[in-house]
Amino acid sequence: MKKLTILMITLIITVTGLHAQSDHRAETIIRNGKESLKRIKEMNKRLANTSCKHESKKQLDSLIGEEYNHASNTWAREYREDYFYDSKKNLTRYIHYTWNSTKNVWVPSSLNEYEYDADKRITSFTYSQWHSTHQWIGEYREEYTYNNDGNIVGWIYFKWDQSTQKWTGDFKESYSWLDAIEVVEQKKYDWDKGSSVWVSQTKSEYTYDPAGNLITFIVSDWNNVVNHWVVDYKEECTYTLNNDLASLICYGWDQTSAQWVPNHQAEYCYGSTCLLEGVLYSTWQTNLQSWMQNYRYQYIYQSGLLSETIYSQYSPQDQQWYPKSQILYTYNSAGDPLITTHLERDPVNQVWKNIWKVENEYNLAGKRSKYSYMEWDSFHSLWVTYTITDYSYDASGNLIGEENQQYDSYNCKWYGVDRNDYSYNNQYTSTNLVIPFWFFERYLPFDQMLTGGLYSIWNTNTGQWEHNKLYSLYYSDYKPVGIEKPAVEDQLSVYPNPCSNSFQVAAKDMQYPIVIEMYTLQGTRVMQEKITHERPISVSQLAPGIYMCFLQTEDQMRLSSRIVVE
């Protein structure tokens, strides 16, 4: 429910990077071997095979968001997103606009540009913002390199230096792989502006057993005083005969004794069906040189499905385990979760107390139709439902409605919170569409072609739903022409065409200044120039061929035309 609601509210927010972790200052080195590997492999997967692999019939060109004006009872434009693709269905540009209601024009806000190699792997991503000088100003850029096996081996993050008008390194990572399958080393560097060199920061090393299981993970920091790596943290893992994790021990490096000192330990136990039945966590007692049990999780199953989880803490004083919390699970015949109940242990009466509960209902097609959240009223000894989400679907199984209600315990009545309504074109499935590779992850996954959505909120005064946000998706027939389909084509005059050394542009009601951009048919930008008055535009530096010419002004969203350079 939350993800779908966020779609309606936050589409105005521009994607500011291909990865959420682009700002390395917000992220420290991951002191967890399996999580570190997961991050690298997810990034490696996200960078590769980004385009649609099925027969394409339609491409998503634009998404327009509007906000309802209750004073005038009309929809007011709010934001717009335009998407462009190359001949291999790769997303090449994504432009975000905001609506200027004073001038009644779309104003550019941000630009995202992608470049790819022959195997459709992303090689660069550039994020720019529209400046008051009526031109795109770069904010940051990411570049990626790969080995012959298609695995990422380098990631460099640049920032635009406004004073030097150049891209300046900020940080980078390098990766080494074993047999094209496993990462064996990861290094991180920061750019030293003073000396203009990359400075080592951290190094992560991974080793594996013959079955490919991670057995050691070591993190080292670069010491600028002694100019070599200094180990800092280590994990050691063991496995069962079935290659299930049996134990994980974390160590810290003791500089004084120059040896590894245990810190934490997790031990895993499994049943005869190889299902995880318990995890025991312990901490190392340096003074006793032994492990002290701390807490544990126990897992109980029925018919192969998790039915109960018990969390307990260990008391070293009386050397006993004391249960603290419990979660119970029930399922329907299809294995879908029905009821999840959380309980906590009353240490005085030694009984379990209800805390909260979640219930799910499903329609005949097996799709969730209702979600209910409840809390236990100990005074009246009954469950009180506080929130309900109802889901509705069309005959094709598409989610068309999602309504959230909340219980007012003071007035003892239900009232609406918000709702989402979606529309589709069932003639096309998502596999027939060319869309941005991150669309499902960032927005709403869909099977049939999503065409729009309406977000409404409940007015407690009128007791009715009120429109709040509206978004519409616009598609066109997919044409693998190489360069992105322009929003307004053939309204820009380019002459002479063909040209050899220079050309000029003309358009209806054109006002200076303007920004001219030239792109190859593969989607690579080869020129960007700001023009303040009518004059020839030189193309002498361009190789002969066919290009796309884009004109951008403050009052014109975008005009374009093809041009031949001889």
Side-chain angles (χ1 to χ4, degrees), residues 497-536:
N497 191 7
C499 65
S500 54
N501 296 318
S502 64
F503 68 92
Q504 290 186 252
V505 296
K508 183 180 178 181
D509 300 326
M510 184 175 69
Q511 295 182 356
Y512 293 96
I514 62 174
V515 173
I516 295 293
E517 292 179 317
M518 298 279 288
Y519 284 80
T520 67
L521 294 186
Q522 287 71 45
T524 301
R525 187 172 66 186
V526 293
M527 187 185 77
Q528 182 186 42
E529 188 171 344
K530 182 179 179 181
I531 310 297
T532 58
H533 60 280
E534 184 176 353
R535 65 173 176 82

XYZ file of all heavy atoms in Angstrom, residues 497-536:
323
model
N 20.623 21.990 -45.251
C 20.555 20.594 -44.826
C 20.434 19.712 -46.073
O 19.397 19.768 -46.744
C 19.354 20.373 -43.912
C 19.364 19.021 -43.235
O 20.334 18.270 -43.333
N 18.275 18.708 -42.545
N 21.496 18.992 -46.445
C 22.746 18.740 -45.731
C 23.622 19.993 -45.604
O 23.481 20.945 -46.364
C 23.440 17.684 -46.593
C 22.353 17.104 -47.449
C 21.391 18.201 -47.688
N 24.551 19.923 -44.631
C 25.500 21.004 -44.423
C 26.898 20.427 -44.325
O 27.069 19.222 -44.124
C 25.153 21.795 -43.174
S 25.295 20.844 -41.641
N 27.896 21.294 -44.450
C 29.274 20.814 -44.392
C 30.053 21.434 -43.238
O 30.643 20.727 -42.427
C 29.995 21.097 -45.714
O 29.899 22.478 -46.034
N 30.023 22.755 -43.132
C 30.795 23.430 -42.092
C 29.921 24.008 -40.988
O 30.315 24.042 -39.825
C 31.643 24.547 -42.704
C 32.690 24.019 -43.653
O 33.339 23.009 -43.364
N 32.862 24.677 -44.790
N 28.731 24.488 -41.343
C 27.870 25.119 -40.350
C 26.422 25.078 -40.823
O 26.130 24.781 -41.978
C 28.300 26.564 -40.091
O 28.132 27.339 -41.263
N 25.519 25.380 -39.877
C 24.102 25.477 -40.215
C 23.469 26.522 -39.315
O 24.056 26.987 -38.340
C 23.398 24.124 -40.067
C 23.294 23.664 -38.630
C 22.178 23.967 -37.872
C 24.315 22.929 -38.036
C 22.077 23.540 -36.545
C 24.227 22.517 -36.725
C 23.109 22.812 -35.986
N 22.218 26.884 -39.624
C 21.451 27.796 -38.789
C 20.088 27.182 -38.516
O 19.642 26.259 -39.204
C 21.304 29.168 -39.475
C 22.615 29.934 -39.526
C 22.438 31.341 -40.063
O 22.837 31.634 -41.178
N 21.844 32.217 -39.276
N 19.431 27.704 -37.490
C 18.137 27.151 -37.090
C 17.085 28.245 -37.105
O 17.391 29.436 -36.955
C 18.204 26.521 -35.680
C 19.150 25.341 -35.664
C 18.613 27.550 -34.644
N 15.850 27.827 -37.287
C 14.719 28.743 -37.238
C 13.502 27.982 -36.757
O 13.312 26.812 -37.075
C 14.453 29.346 -38.614
N 12.678 28.643 -35.965
C 11.444 28.038 -35.460
C 10.448 29.147 -35.178
O 10.817 30.307 -34.950
C 11.707 27.224 -34.197
N 9.180 28.779 -35.180
C 8.129 29.755 -34.940
C 8.248 30.337 -33.538
O 8.376 29.606 -32.549
C 6.768 29.093 -35.125
C 5.604 30.062 -34.960
C 4.281 29.332 -35.169
C 3.115 30.298 -34.964
N 1.809 29.614 -35.141
N 8.192 31.679 -33.458
C 8.234 32.405 -32.180
C 9.483 32.081 -31.366
O 9.462 32.097 -30.128
C 6.990 32.099 -31.340
C 5.713 32.501 -32.046
O 5.750 33.506 -32.777
O 4.690 31.802 -31.872
N 10.581 31.745 -32.031
C 11.812 31.411 -31.314
C 12.409 32.660 -30.677
O 12.499 33.715 -31.311
C 12.821 30.774 -32.271
C 14.096 30.296 -31.579
S 15.184 29.427 -32.726
C 15.708 30.784 -33.777
N 12.788 32.535 -29.411
C 13.404 33.636 -28.685
C 14.725 33.177 -28.104
O 14.850 32.055 -27.610
C 12.479 34.123 -27.556
C 11.178 34.739 -28.060
C 10.319 35.251 -26.917
O 10.660 35.087 -25.741
N 9.199 35.883 -27.248
N 15.707 34.040 -28.172
C 17.015 33.737 -27.606
C 17.028 34.139 -26.140
O 16.259 35.010 -25.713
C 18.100 34.488 -28.387
C 18.272 34.005 -29.808
C 17.630 34.645 -30.860
C 19.054 32.889 -30.075
C 17.774 34.197 -32.165
C 19.209 32.433 -31.381
C 18.563 33.088 -32.427
O 18.709 32.634 -33.713
N 17.916 33.489 -25.329
C 18.922 32.503 -25.731
C 18.314 31.113 -25.921
O 17.247 30.804 -25.378
C 19.892 32.504 -24.560
C 19.032 32.848 -23.383
C 18.012 33.827 -23.900
N 19.025 30.273 -26.678
C 18.625 28.894 -26.891
C 19.827 27.993 -26.656
O 20.975 28.460 -26.661
C 18.070 28.664 -28.308
C 19.155 28.962 -29.349
C 16.829 29.507 -28.556
C 18.749 28.629 -30.774
N 19.570 26.722 -26.452
C 20.627 25.722 -26.316
C 20.456 24.707 -27.438
O 19.360 24.158 -27.630
C 20.595 25.019 -24.948
C 21.605 23.880 -24.911
C 20.882 26.016 -23.839
N 21.510 24.504 -28.224
C 21.502 23.542 -29.307
C 22.285 22.305 -28.878
O 23.409 22.420 -28.379
C 22.125 24.133 -30.590
C 21.271 25.281 -31.114
C 22.282 23.056 -31.654
C 19.909 24.863 -31.623
N 21.680 21.128 -29.059
C 22.353 19.865 -28.776
C 22.317 18.995 -30.020
O 21.299 18.956 -30.727
C 21.686 19.120 -27.623
C 21.834 19.807 -26.275
C 21.131 19.040 -25.174
O 19.994 18.581 -25.417
O 21.719 18.874 -24.095
N 23.426 18.283 -30.285
C 23.519 17.368 -31.419
C 23.773 15.965 -30.889
O 24.634 15.761 -30.015
C 24.650 17.793 -32.352
C 24.464 19.168 -32.975
S 23.365 19.143 -34.392
C 24.416 18.329 -35.602
N 23.035 14.985 -31.425
C 23.168 13.593 -31.002
C 23.350 12.700 -32.220
O 22.774 12.956 -33.291
C 21.916 13.119 -30.245
C 21.834 13.621 -28.843
C 21.389 14.911 -28.577
C 22.205 12.815 -27.769
C 21.306 15.386 -27.271
C 22.132 13.282 -26.466
C 21.679 14.569 -26.228
O 21.605 15.023 -24.933
N 24.145 11.646 -32.033
C 24.236 10.623 -33.066
C 22.979 9.774 -33.026
O 22.185 9.848 -32.078
C 25.454 9.712 -32.846
O 25.244 8.948 -31.652
C 26.737 10.525 -32.711
N 22.775 8.940 -34.042
C 21.605 8.071 -34.050
C 21.703 6.966 -33.018
O 20.735 6.234 -32.783
C 21.407 7.465 -35.449
C 21.051 8.466 -36.556
C 20.739 7.741 -37.849
C 19.881 9.341 -36.144
N 22.864 6.813 -32.392
C 23.030 5.838 -31.310
C 22.751 6.473 -29.955
O 22.832 5.808 -28.924
C 24.447 5.248 -31.326
C 24.692 4.271 -32.465
C 24.765 4.962 -33.809
O 25.420 5.995 -33.949
N 24.097 4.391 -34.808
N 22.429 7.777 -29.941
C 22.057 8.433 -28.703
C 23.197 9.108 -27.974
O 23.034 9.520 -26.826
N 24.369 9.266 -28.599
C 25.510 9.902 -27.947
C 25.512 11.402 -28.260
O 25.460 11.796 -29.425
C 26.835 9.284 -28.417
O 26.814 7.885 -28.121
C 28.015 9.931 -27.721
N 25.562 12.213 -27.214
C 25.626 13.655 -27.433
C 27.030 14.044 -27.880
O 28.015 13.710 -27.224
C 25.258 14.412 -26.162
C 25.153 15.928 -26.375
C 24.597 16.628 -25.162
N 25.497 16.541 -24.033
C 25.208 16.974 -22.805
N 24.018 17.494 -22.572
N 26.068 16.841 -21.819
N 27.117 14.771 -28.988
C 28.419 15.156 -29.542
C 28.625 16.663 -29.512
O 29.732 17.140 -29.786
C 28.562 14.634 -30.992
C 28.627 13.118 -31.011
C 27.417 15.139 -31.877
N 27.588 17.412 -29.175
C 27.751 18.854 -29.123
C 26.652 19.468 -28.278
O 25.501 19.013 -28.295
C 27.714 19.466 -30.534
C 28.060 20.957 -30.576
S 27.864 21.666 -32.227
C 26.081 21.834 -32.298
N 26.999 20.500 -27.517
C 26.035 21.318 -26.788
C 26.539 22.752 -26.813
O 27.686 23.009 -26.433
C 25.845 20.834 -25.345
C 24.804 21.659 -24.578
C 24.715 21.267 -23.118
O 25.726 21.045 -22.459
N 23.512 21.159 -22.600
N 25.695 23.661 -27.251
C 26.163 25.036 -27.417
C 25.014 25.992 -27.116
O 23.882 25.796 -27.556
C 26.677 25.251 -28.842
C 27.366 26.590 -29.046
C 28.049 26.665 -30.401
O 28.244 25.603 -31.033
O 28.375 27.788 -30.826
N 25.332 27.037 -26.344
C 24.349 28.059 -26.023
C 24.454 29.193 -27.049
O 25.537 29.711 -27.323
C 24.584 28.602 -24.614
C 23.560 29.647 -24.184
C 23.853 30.121 -22.764
C 22.843 31.181 -22.330
N 23.123 31.666 -20.956
N 23.309 29.572 -27.624
C 23.261 30.594 -28.666
C 22.459 31.781 -28.141
O 21.323 31.621 -27.688
C 22.594 30.052 -29.959
C 23.232 28.716 -30.369
C 22.706 31.073 -31.075
C 24.680 28.810 -30.719
N 23.056 32.967 -28.184
C 22.386 34.165 -27.674
C 21.820 35.042 -28.774
O 21.054 35.970 -28.495
C 23.368 34.988 -26.824
O 24.503 35.341 -27.633
C 23.828 34.192 -25.609
N 22.197 34.768 -30.035
C 21.681 35.551 -31.151
C 21.790 34.709 -32.422
O 22.446 33.655 -32.438
C 22.463 36.862 -31.318
C 23.933 36.659 -31.579
N 24.831 36.379 -30.556
C 24.660 36.665 -32.735
C 26.043 36.243 -31.070
N 25.967 36.403 -32.378
N 21.168 35.177 -33.475
C 21.182 34.431 -34.723
C 22.582 34.420 -35.325
O 23.177 35.472 -35.586
C 20.203 35.052 -35.721
C 20.099 34.269 -37.024
C 19.065 34.853 -37.952
O 18.352 35.786 -37.517
O 18.963 34.388 -39.103
N 23.108 33.236 -35.541
C 24.446 33.083 -36.118
C 24.640 31.656 -36.580
O 23.917 30.740 -36.153
C 25.531 33.448 -35.109
C 25.605 32.525 -33.891
C 26.814 32.849 -33.042
N 26.888 32.078 -31.816
C 27.365 30.838 -31.737
N 27.780 30.209 -32.846
N 27.434 30.217 -30.575
N 25.609 31.400 -37.463
C 25.898 30.024 -37.891
C 26.428 29.186 -36.734
O 27.118 29.683 -35.843
C 26.955 30.217 -38.988
C 26.812 31.633 -39.424
C 26.383 32.400 -38.208
